[in-house]
Amino acid sequence: MYKIAIVEDSIEDRNALLALLGKYEKEHQASFSVSSFPDGLKFYGHYETGFDIVFTDIEMPLMDGMEAAKKIRDSDKRVQIIFVSKSAQYAVKGYEADAIGYALKPVTYFVIEELLDKAIKKLSLILDSFLLVNTDEEVVRIPIPSLQYIEVRDHYLFYHVSEKVYRSRRSSLAEEEKKLSPKGFSKCNNCYLVNLRHVVSIGKDSIMVGKEMLAMSRGKKAEFKDAFVRFAGEYL
Amino acid sequence: MNWSLVGYCFIRFVLPLLLAASLFVLKKEKRKGFAYRLPIALLLFFVLNLLITNYSENMKIESWFYCYFLLDLLTVFLFLFFIFRISWKEALFFTVAAYSIQNLTDNLINLIYLSAGEPENLVLRWTVFLVPYLVTYCLFYFAFARLIKSRYADIMSNVLFLAILCIILGIVYVLSMYATLGSGDDSISLRIYAIISCGLSMLLQFNVFNTTYLHSENGKLETILKTENEGNLRYQKNYELLSMKIHDLRHQIRAIKEKTDSEEIQKSLAELEKDAHIFNTSLKTSSQALDSVLSVRSLYCAEKGITLSCMADGEKLSFLSDSDIFSLFSNAIDNGIEAVLKEPEEKRNITINVREKNGFLLIHFDNPSSSAVTFANGLPQTDKDKNDLHGYGSKSICYIVEKYGGKANFQQENGLFKLNIMIPMAQ
């Protein structure tokens, strides 16, 4: 179940969008709980996190949807923003609020479907994504987005999470790779499984992950770069 | 006729050479009348080689290997040229390569004989003879011969290069024959030397052709990009002029509208205004080059019912040259337009996304594409005729992106065709 907010001053446009959301629910066996807000101020003035997807108009009385969306983004990194606008001229700046994209009015099902697919895919990369790691003392729950990379050394796996490192000998890198590669991880050589979200540069034979430099092998280079381009181009 | 010598020469030299040469031409176009050319060629080939081999027996050993070597290669060369539709330079290239691999293997066998002794047992003898051939030929076929396509035809024109290869191989041949039949100073080191020489000359032959191919391909791309760029600049100038005129026109329309009372005229003026409005809907992305690509395309797209959904931080493109931005986006959008024109009108949406994250410039394009796209070397293959410049679009995208140390990736997933691009931003 995804929590969706529609911020739209025109009743007609709001109903059109609601109808398309209903169609999407049926066709994709998805379930939405939709809240509508008739004007921007009502929604943005008392914004609380908790929404998964927000459809928002840009030109609204009393409030500019773009400015407001940027403010929301500052406090909520997770919410997926989709602009719905009469003109592309404003929506072209949607990247400023880290939006998924925009739909031009009158909205069509195909465009909404594509945007919702993207939003849900992006959410699935963030939502409920924890990794349980058995260290010698305890079981640690690591949020996948903050895991930087996993290193295999002397039959141990080392989970690097910003400043901390957790050591575990209970699982194999191959197993973790199977689990994590659909979530934006790729191996830059046989002993590092890297979270592509944290890659900040790719050199000839090494990469920077956060502040650490990891060696990249010739054999894995092409594959790693491809994985990075695909992931970054769409989901970063 | 000394049948045992002839047989020996055929098994050790003539037949393996013919086989090696055949590996190349398997997929080549045959000449007209292949059905009668082949038996004639085979017959002539065997008769000629029979004569050469037999004749060589009567000659002194020193002159023997010079003549025999060249004459036999000549028959292989003629054989290839006679039945396949290839140029004489190609035939020479194949002959030389065939000789390298044959000579390499033969020396390998001799090396085994030298180090382990020539086996007495007939079965073992044939095994030691056949297994190296099987191994090297298979390796050779999969590493080089199979990958050869017609594309390298223009590279083969390097006669000097072929001549140098012939000389190297000639020396190797003379040395190995000298070892076998001449002084009797057969040594392991000589054999190893011959094997290395053959291997190196083969690497030279294939590597050089790879890089030359790359050079000529890049040259072609550069030329295309340059022409494209000139066209784009002209287009942009025209477009700017036109938008200025239309801007004036809209003001005039508004002025007339205010002065007239006739409803009919009002109505048609409103229509006119709407048409002129298309020109004013162009996007502002803070990259002039991108804006002009988009505005030029947006007219055509509006006509065909295609939406360009573009979210772009144009400022981040500033480290790319204008001409590269033109080419990159024109090619990507044009590919998208071509694809969505095959889709029903409600699906004609092209998404463009330009932003910066973690120090990378990230560009994403996608468009619906319900028919399966075939890929070769990661590039989508065009279904248009291959004889013109079509198909260079994707190549030139990769070329530009890689010029900046980036990477482009094309894929088709869930009915969407996607192009993702990553370019590291200058530090």
Side-chain angles (χ1 to χ4, degrees):
Chain A
M1 166 107 101
Y2 295 99
K3 279 186 77 182
I4 296 184
I6 299 178
V7 188
E8 172 65 76
D9 53 312
S10 145
I11 297 172
E12 204 181 309
D13 291 348
R14 194 194 315 152
N15 288 339
L17 186 55
L18 276 168
L20 297 181
L21 290 181
K23 188 175 176 193
Y24 186 94
E25 279 183 290
K26 262 193 213 133
E27 289 196 359
H28 294 258
Q29 277 92 47
S31 131
F32 299 144
S33 103
V34 186
S35 318
S36 298
F37 298 85
D39 74 71
L41 211 55
K42 280 222 173 76
F43 178 65
Y44 294 115
H46 318 277
Y47 182 73
E48 284 171 37
T49 51
F51 284 108
D52 297 311
I53 303 166
V54 174
F55 286 91
T56 176
D57 195 358
I58 297 179
E59 293 170 276
M60 283 183 293
L62 307 173
M63 176 145 269
D64 170 5
M66 183 64 72
E67 280 307 312
K70 280 196 262 178
K71 282 203 185 95
I72 288 184
R73 174 58 76 217
D74 285 340
S75 62
D76 187 347
K77 297 280 180 239
R78 209 196 63 174
V79 65
Q80 302 302 316
I81 298 169
I82 297 169
F83 289 109
V84 182
S85 173
K86 233 184 299 194
S87 121
Q89 249 153 324
Y90 302 99
V92 74
K93 294 224 178 283
Y95 61 87
E96 290 179 353
D98 220 344
I100 296 241
Y102 60 82
L104 288 181
K105 289 180 189 176
V107 286
T108 62
Y109 179 67
F110 175 76
V111 172
I112 291 295
E113 184 186 31
E114 199 187 318
L115 289 166
L116 274 172
D117 280 346
K118 284 181 193 172
I120 288 172
K121 172 88 209 229
K122 270 187 104 167
L123 282 167
S124 76
L125 292 172
I126 312 167
L127 292 176
D128 308 320
S129 56
F130 286 93
L131 203 61
L132 294 179
V133 175
N134 281 296
T135 67
D136 292 338
E137 299 91 33
E138 52 178 343
V139 178
V140 192
R141 236 161 82 99
I142 301 175
I144 290 177
S146 64
L147 173 62
Q148 290 189 313
Y149 65 97
I150 305 175
E151 178 186 13
V152 60
R153 182 158 34 92
D154 312 327
H155 306 293
Y156 281 101
L157 289 188
F158 294 85
Y159 296 77
H160 295 252
V161 185
S162 46
E163 305 293 297
K164 276 193 194 132
V165 181
Y166 299 99
R167 194 182 74 169
S168 165
R169 63 183 317 165
R170 297 280 175 83
S171 44
S172 75
L173 195 62
E175 258 170 54
E176 298 295 42
E177 189 188 8
K178 221 169 157 193
K179 235 185 289 168
L180 293 173
S181 64
K183 301 213 174 223
F185 282 68
S186 182
K187 273 159 110 179
C188 66
N189 73 33
N190 281 330
C191 48
Y192 298 121
L193 181 64
V194 175
N195 189 343
L196 299 172
R197 293 163 191 81
H198 292 282
V199 175
V200 289
S201 79
I202 301 177
K204 273 205 170 70
D205 48 15
S206 67
I207 58 168
M208 286 289 286
V209 180
K211 283 173 189 158
E212 280 183 83
M213 194 186 272
L214 305 180
M216 174 165 59
S217 71
R218 277 175 71 113
K220 288 269 182 258
K221 187 175 179 173
E223 203 183 313
F224 181 81
K225 268 184 139 178
D226 269 324
F228 179 72
V229 175
R230 284 185 187 198
F231 181 79
E234 268 186 271
Y235 305 115
L236 207 62
Chain B
M1 191 167 280
N2 184 345
W3 287 107
S4 72
L5 177 71
V6 169
Y8 178 80
C9 286
F10 263 71
I11 289 168
R12 285 299 293 260
F13 189 65
V14 178
L15 292 177
L17 195 63
L18 188 66
L19 186 66
S22 316
L23 291 179
F24 285 112
V25 286
L26 277 178
K27 285 176 184 163
K28 284 278 163 196
E29 199 187 335
K30 288 147 189 125
R31 281 194 195 275
K32 247 190 201 158
F34 177 75
Y36 69 82
R37 270 174 191 267
L38 182 67
I40 294 175
L42 277 173
L43 188 71
L44 277 175
F45 180 80
F46 279 102
V47 170
L48 273 174
N49 276 297
L50 216 64
L51 289 175
I52 295 165
T53 327
N54 196 48
Y55 176 67
S56 64
E57 189 205 0
N58 304 325
M59 293 186 15
K60 278 187 189 155
I61 205 75
E62 281 79 10
S63 51
W64 187 89
F65 39 78
Y66 301 121
C67 296
Y68 183 63
F69 165 62
L70 290 173
L71 286 174
D72 191 77
L73 287 184
L74 189 66
T75 57
V76 173
F77 167 80
L78 290 173
F79 177 81
L80 295 178
F81 188 66
F82 183 64
I83 55 176
F84 291 96
R85 197 183 290 276
I86 49 179
S87 71
W88 68 270
K89 284 166 190 160
E90 268 181 292
L92 185 59
F93 184 90
F94 295 148
T95 311
V96 170
Y99 177 64
S100 310
I101 182 68
Q102 186 278 327
N103 201 15
L104 189 148
T105 318
D106 192 63
N107 275 298
L108 201 64
I109 294 166
N110 274 321
L111 187 66
I112 298 171
Y113 287 166
L114 274 174
S115 44
E118 225 168 305
E120 298 285 321
N121 181 319
L122 202 65
V123 178
L124 199 62
R125 216 183 153 82
W126 276 100
T127 315
V128 171
F129 175 72
L130 287 177
V131 170
Y133 267 115
L134 199 67
V135 171
T136 54
Y137 277 31
C138 279
L139 278 175
F140 177 66
Y141 179 70
F142 287 108
F144 301 119
R146 199 177 52 125
L147 304 174
I148 287 186
K149 299 217 175 86
S150 56
R151 68 180 186 192
Y152 72 116
D154 49 325
I155 322 300
M156 314 264 10
S157 50
N158 200 336
V159 182
L160 181 69
F161 173 63
L162 285 173
I164 292 171
L165 278 174
C166 291
I167 291 169
I168 297 175
L169 292 172
I171 294 170
V172 175
Y173 174 82
V174 169
L175 277 171
S176 45
M177 283 315 263
Y178 192 65
T180 322
L181 304 164
S183 68
D185 274 349
D186 203 350
S187 69
I188 290 179
S189 55
L190 192 69
R191 293 298 174 188
I192 292 176
Y193 161 76
I195 290 169
I196 292 172
S197 306
C198 287
L200 283 178
S201 82
M202 251 159 57
L203 284 182
L204 193 69
Q205 190 166 5
F206 289 96
N207 259 333
V208 163
F209 115 62
N210 272 338
T211 48
T212 332
Y213 171 73
L214 222 66
H215 280 312
S216 73
E217 184 80 340
N218 283 351
K220 258 187 228 162
L221 279 175
E222 283 286 357
T223 323
I224 292 167
L225 288 177
K226 214 176 143 222
T227 340
E228 237 178 45
N229 192 19
E230 280 160 9
N232 272 324
L233 284 174
R234 244 197 330 272
Y235 223 49
Q236 193 192 9
K237 270 208 185 114
N238 286 343
Y239 184 82
E240 275 163 14
L241 263 173
L242 203 59
S243 344
M244 252 160 60
K245 290 280 172 216
I246 297 226
H247 185 77
D248 294 346
L249 197 65
R250 291 181 67 205
H251 279 289
Q252 282 161 8
I253 293 172
R254 210 166 298 158
I256 302 170
K257 246 169 116 182
E258 275 164 23
K259 281 178 195 149
T260 182
D261 295 325
S262 151
E263 213 164 275
E264 210 171 308
I265 294 177
Q266 282 278 6
K267 216 175 146 191
S268 42
L269 281 176
E271 278 293 303
L272 205 59
E273 225 182 346
K274 216 176 100 192
D275 281 346
H277 188 66
I278 292 182
F279 253 81
N280 217 30
T281 51
S282 56
L283 302 172
K284 295 272 172 287
T285 64
S286 26
S287 160
Q288 269 196 355
L290 178 56
D291 288 354
S292 89
V293 173
L294 289 172
S295 51
V296 168
R297 299 297 182 289
S298 68
L299 277 178
Y300 179 78
C301 286
E303 171 94 17
K304 297 282 180 191
I306 301 170
T307 335
L308 291 176
S309 308
C310 174
M311 223 164 62
D313 190 353
E315 227 168 272
K316 297 295 190 313
L317 293 171
S318 61
F319 73 102
L320 307 176
S321 77
D322 277 356
S323 59
D324 287 338
I325 298 174
F326 277 134
S327 304
L328 190 68
F329 284 90
S330 308
N331 278 315
I333 295 172
D334 289 351
N335 284 350
I337 289 175
E338 199 187 302
V340 294
L341 282 177
K342 292 181 211 147
E343 303 292 324
E345 203 159 323
E346 70 270 14
K347 280 193 170 188
R348 294 184 183 169
N349 180 50
I350 298 173
T351 305
I352 306 160
N353 217 326
V354 180
R355 65 211 190 284
E356 181 263 330
K357 273 279 168 75
N358 293 358
F360 296 101
L361 170 67
L362 301 170
I363 308 173
H364 171 88
F365 297 89
D366 68 48
N367 58 263
S369 147
S370 36
S371 52
V373 180
T374 48
F375 291 85
N377 290 324
L379 292 178
Q381 294 307 101
T382 163
D383 42 32
K384 279 194 187 169
D385 285 345
K386 278 183 183 154
N387 51 14
D388 61 353
L389 294 179
H390 199 81
Y392 272 91
S394 313
K395 270 186 201 163
S396 83
I397 290 171
C398 291
Y399 178 68
I400 292 168
V401 170
E402 279 159 26
K403 202 167 76 180
Y404 291 94
K407 185 107 173 72
N409 181 282
F410 301 84
Q411 75 186 117
Q412 192 179 26
E413 198 181 56
N414 303 331
L416 282 183
F417 181 83
K418 299 174 182 176
L419 163 58
N420 284 303
I421 291 170
M422 166 279 281
I423 301 176
M425 309 267 287
Q427 296 292 309

